[in-house]
Every structure is written in C-alpha cells, then in structure tokens.
C-alpha cells in the first residue's frame, strides 16, 4: 500500500500527532442482500480489530434486504455486543443507509466500508496509522480496478473527469466511500442537511487534512452487485447537479453561440439574395434546422428539470430514511 499525499511535506510536519489508546473505532457497513458474504466479512473484521488494539462498534445498516441479511445480523448482534443493527423500513439507497450509520456512530474514528469485501478491511490498520500522524481523513484510492468491467472502468474515468472539471470541490479520482474520518469530520458531515446526497462529494466538500492510500480493488467475495448501469447514471447525475451549476450556465454560452450562428446565416442570405437573386428555400434544410433547434431546447429543458426536481425534493422536507428496527443499541 502506498500513501498518496494531498498536502506538502511542510504541512505534514505541522500535523498534530494522535494516539489510538482508549479510542473507539466505528465501522459503518451499508447492506443490501449481502447474506452470502456476512461470514467472511465478520471473520476478517474480527482479525483486523483484534490487531488494532482499539474498542470498536460495528454498525450494520440493512437497506431493505430481501434475503436473510437482517436475520443473520440479528443473530450476530445478540451474540456480539460490538454489533449494532439498523433496519430501514425499505430500500432507501446506499447514500441514505450510509448517512443513517454516520448519524449514530459514536467513535473517535469512523470508517464506512462495503460489505462485499472489495474494500479490504486489512487496510484499516494503515488508515489508523495515518490518522495518528494527524490526518483527519484517510481515503482509499483504487489503483487497480481490473476486477471491474471494462465499461465500468471507462465510465468511472469519464465521470471523475467531468465532475472535477465542473465542481469547486474536486474528488480524488478512483476513490469511493472507503475511508477513515476523525470525529471532527463526522460532526461536520452531520450538519449537512441535503436529501439528494452524494457522499463522495460531501466528503471532499468538508475539507480538513486528507491523504489517500492506494490499493488494489479485489473482486466480490460472493453474491452480485445490486448496482445497475441506469442506477449508476442517475447516481452520476445526482453528483454533478449537487455540486455544480455549470450545466445550467453552459446554456448561456449555447444561446450566444446559436445567436451568432443565426446572425451569420442571416447575413449570408442577404448577401446571396443581393448577388445571386432570390431562390426557393429548401424544405429539407428547413426541417433540419427546426429539428436541431427543437433537440437543443429539449436538452436544455431536461437539465432545468433535473435541478427543479431536486429543489422539489428538498422543499418537501421528507426524512432521508425511516428506521423500522434497531438491534444492539442501548434503550
């Protein structure tokens, strides 16, 4: 594993040292139909926690699973006091489930991690070491994504490029939710109330002292991902519209360019009539221009609709998630 510095060496010297002694680690694990991986997940988490030498709580959020995930989590929570289970009333999505875990986490260090073990728990030890050096956020960087499909690798690269070119809070490329956050960072995240949540963007927006650690992303241990390409497309739109108004501003440029083209075409027609004489306009060229203008308008309306729809969701003020059951929490 290799640390990817986001600060200068001078800044690193100024970081205040911390100690893990008598500190608590909170692991936040959103789950949706993850029954096949639970045994492997907890086996590896137990090994990692025992080596770290810190107190730990394992917060598992069942996001409306349809398999035996919740039943297995209940049984584990009854046998292991470190495990706490939040069962949401339905499938609210990973961002809402992750927020539910952040809302109840009490640790000095908080680590969101995927249940499918594509985020290797063994990396947490290195995260904690960098936290002790004074970093507030230590995030994983997927240096090798060969476990992902070719299409997913390409679309992920395009998304990070587009997002970072538009947003004032760029996301380090090839990063996910897997990271360690200091308590101060968690409290800052809890102050952000928006309902269309793009957690990667929020992690970058809050700032603080951050450093990346490169790792090879393995394949899933078992089961299948519940993410489909249409969901990833919606997720990308949520990210861009949540952190940039560039898609709205670009239409001012499009309008000015269209006006310039129209004025040039009008001038060319006037010169043609004066020099050559009046001719009969072509139906085909007229239809092409009309259809092109209609298509541009529809794209503009679609982008406006995306932003207006998100405003509508925010104005309604509905809760981000609803909890059906809690297991392992003190009453």
């Amino acid at each position: 594993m290799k640390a990817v510095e986001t600060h200068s060496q001078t800044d690193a010297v100024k970081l205040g040292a911390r100690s893990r002694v008598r500190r608590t680690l909170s692991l936040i694990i959103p789950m949706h139909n993850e029954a096949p991986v639970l045994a492997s997940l907890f086996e590896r988490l137990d090994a990692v926690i025992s080596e770290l030498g810190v107190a730990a709580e394992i917060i598992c959020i069942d996001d409306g699973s349809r398999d035996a995930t919740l039943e297995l989590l209940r049984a584990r929570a009854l046998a292991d006091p470190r495990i706490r289970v939040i069962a949401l009333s339905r499938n609210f999505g990973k961002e809402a489930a992750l927020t539910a875990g952040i809302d109840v986490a009490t640790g000095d260090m908080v680590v969101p991690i995927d249940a499918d073990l594509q985020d290797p728990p063994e990396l947490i030890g290195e995260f904690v070491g960098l936290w002790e050096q004074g970093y507030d956020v230590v995030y994983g960087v997927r240096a090798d994504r060969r476990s992902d499909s070719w299409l997913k690798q390409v679309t992920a690269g395009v998304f990070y490029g587009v997002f970072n070119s538009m947003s004032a809070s760029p996301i380090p490329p090839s990063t996910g939710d897997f990271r360690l956050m200091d308590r101060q960072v968690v409290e800052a995240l809890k102050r952000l109330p928006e309902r269309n949540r793009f957690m990667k963007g929020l992690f970058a927006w809050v700032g603080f002292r951050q450093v990346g650690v490169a790792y090879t992303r393995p394949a899933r241990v078992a089961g299948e991902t519940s993410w489909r390409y249409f969901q990833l497309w919606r997720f990308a739109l949520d990210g861009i519209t949540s952190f940039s108004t560039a898609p709205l501003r670009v239409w001012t440029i499009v309008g000015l360019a269209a006006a310039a083209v129209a004025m040039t075409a009008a001038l060319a027609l006037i010169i043609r009539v004066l020099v050559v004489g009046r001719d009969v306009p072509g139906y085909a060229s007229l239809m092409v221009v009309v259809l092109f203008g209609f298509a541009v308008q529809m794209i503009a309306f679609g982008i406006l609709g995306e932003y207006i729809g998100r405003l509508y969701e925010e104005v309604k003020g509905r809760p981000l998630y609803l909890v059906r059951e809690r297991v392992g929490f003190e009453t």
Side-chain angles (χ1 to χ4, degrees), residues 297-318:
Q297 287 181 331
M298 290 300 99
I299 294 173
F301 290 155
I303 292 176
L304 287 170
E306 291 288 343
Y307 281 91
I308 293 171
R310 282 157 178 75
L311 287 173
Y312 177 59
E313 292 294 328
E314 295 293 333
V315 168
K316 286 190 293 187
R318 290 176 181 170

Side-chain angles (χ1 to χ4, degrees), residues 8-58:
S8 67
Q9 293 298 324
T10 303
D11 291 335
V13 172
K14 296 179 181 179
L15 297 177
R18 303 184 178 102
S19 172
R20 71 182 73 182
V21 178
R22 292 191 296 274
R23 298 297 185 100
T24 302
L25 172 69
S26 295
L27 298 173
I28 299 175
I29 315 176
M31 298 184 181
H32 180 67
N33 298 334
E34 300 289 359
V37 304
L38 291 186
S40 298
L41 171 66
F42 285 106
E43 180 181 353
R44 289 173 63 176
L45 288 179
D46 287 341
V48 169
I49 292 171
S50 63
E51 292 180 358
L52 289 175
V54 298
E57 63 174 3
I58 304 173

Side-chain angles (χ1 to χ4, degrees), residues 206-229:
V206 295
F208 294 92
R209 295 165 295 189
Q210 303 199 11
V211 65
V213 176
Y215 71 99
T216 299
R217 184 171 170 83
R220 289 179 62 94
V221 171
E224 297 181 356
T225 179
S226 58
W227 286 92
R228 299 293 179 260
Y229 282 106

Side-chain angles (χ1 to χ4, degrees), residues 13-214:
V13 172
K14 296 179 181 179
L15 297 177
R18 303 184 178 102
S19 172
R20 71 182 73 182
V21 178
R22 292 191 296 274
R23 298 297 185 100
T24 302
L25 172 69
S26 295
L27 298 173
I28 299 175
I29 315 176
M31 298 184 181
H32 180 67
N33 298 334
E34 300 289 359
V37 304
L38 291 186
S40 298
L41 171 66
F42 285 106
E43 180 181 353
R44 289 173 63 176
L45 288 179
D46 287 341
V48 169
I49 292 171
S50 63
E51 292 180 358
L52 289 175
V54 298
E57 63 174 3
I58 304 173
I59 302 171
C60 303
I61 304 94
D62 179 68
D63 189 23
S65 295
R66 297 184 299 275
D67 63 1
T69 298
L70 182 56
E71 289 74 13
L72 293 173
L73 289 176
R74 284 198 196 101
R76 287 188 175 273
L78 293 176
D80 188 342
R82 299 174 302 175
I83 298 176
R84 300 172 182 178
V85 180
I86 298 175
L88 303 185
S89 62
R90 63 171 177 83
N91 179 240
F92 286 89
K94 183 182 178 182
E95 307 301 281
L98 186 55
T99 302
I102 289 175
D103 286 344
V104 301
T106 61
D108 304 289
M109 301 167 282
V110 176
V111 176
I113 184 172
D114 288 347
D116 57 15
L117 292 174
Q118 288 192 285
D119 298 334
E122 293 75 16
L123 201 60
I124 296 175
E126 188 167 350
F127 286 2
V128 173
L130 288 168
W131 174 82
E132 287 183 307
Q133 293 179 25
Y135 289 102
D136 301 310
V137 178
V138 185
Y139 56 84
V141 180
R142 301 163 183 172
D144 187 343
R145 303 189 62 158
R146 283 179 291 183
S147 61
D148 294 334
S149 67
W150 174 85
L151 180 58
K152 188 172 182 180
Q153 293 179 48
V154 171
T155 53
V158 171
F159 167 73
Y160 283 109
V162 172
F163 182 94
N164 289 340
S165 67
M166 293 184 176
S167 174
S169 303
I171 302 173
S174 295
T175 61
D177 297 323
F178 184 38
R179 64 193 61 222
L180 181 148
M181 298 176 289
D182 182 70
R183 186 75 228 169
Q184 187 179 12
V185 178
V186 174
E187 292 301 322
L189 287 170
K190 291 168 67 174
R191 295 174 58 189
L192 306 180
E194 56 257 47
R195 286 160 180 79
N196 286 294
R197 300 180 74 80
F198 180 65
M199 296 306 296
K200 296 179 185 64
L202 296 180
F203 292 147
W205 186 87
V206 295
F208 294 92
R209 295 165 295 189
Q210 303 199 11
V211 65
V213 176

